[in-house]
Amino acid sequence: FVVTAPQVLDERLPAEGFFRCHRSYCVNINKIREIVPWFNSTYLIRLHDLSFEVPVSRSNIKALRQLMRL
């Protein structure tokens, strides 16, 4: 489940189940299949049931690492 909406919707989602990985994307952490290292120390997130990859912004990398215990 990927939401590409303004941050207003972000406030309505439960904080424990979703992660804003980029200003344009908020992902359901239970749907993360794989986290792929990308260039310039960034990551891409591959999700179950979706064929595209979601970028992780450089400003959210530290939060992603803490969340996923990387």
Side-chain angles (χ1 to χ4, degrees):
F1 179 95
V2 176
V3 177
T4 57
Q7 285 183 283
V8 175
L9 183 59
D10 196 27
E11 296 170 359
R12 298 174 128 186
L13 295 172
E16 64 276 350
F18 291 87
F19 174 69
R20 177 157 299 276
C21 58
H22 190 275
R23 70 177 171 197
S24 299
Y25 298 99
C26 185
V27 297
N28 181 336
I29 60 172
N30 295 317
K31 297 294 183 174
I32 295 175
R33 176 174 44 112
E34 186 177 13
I35 300 171
V36 182
W38 200 238
F39 67 93
N40 291 334
S41 301
T42 60
Y43 293 96
L44 293 176
I45 296 175
R46 292 184 182 152
L47 301 165
H48 294 285
D49 305 325
L50 291 175
S51 61
F52 65 92
E53 299 166 328
V54 180
V56 179
S57 68
R58 284 183 277 161
S59 61
N60 291 331
I61 289 173
K62 185 175 181 181
L64 175 69
R65 285 184 172 177
Q66 289 176 343
L67 179 69
M68 302 307 284
R69 295 182 177 99
L70 297 175

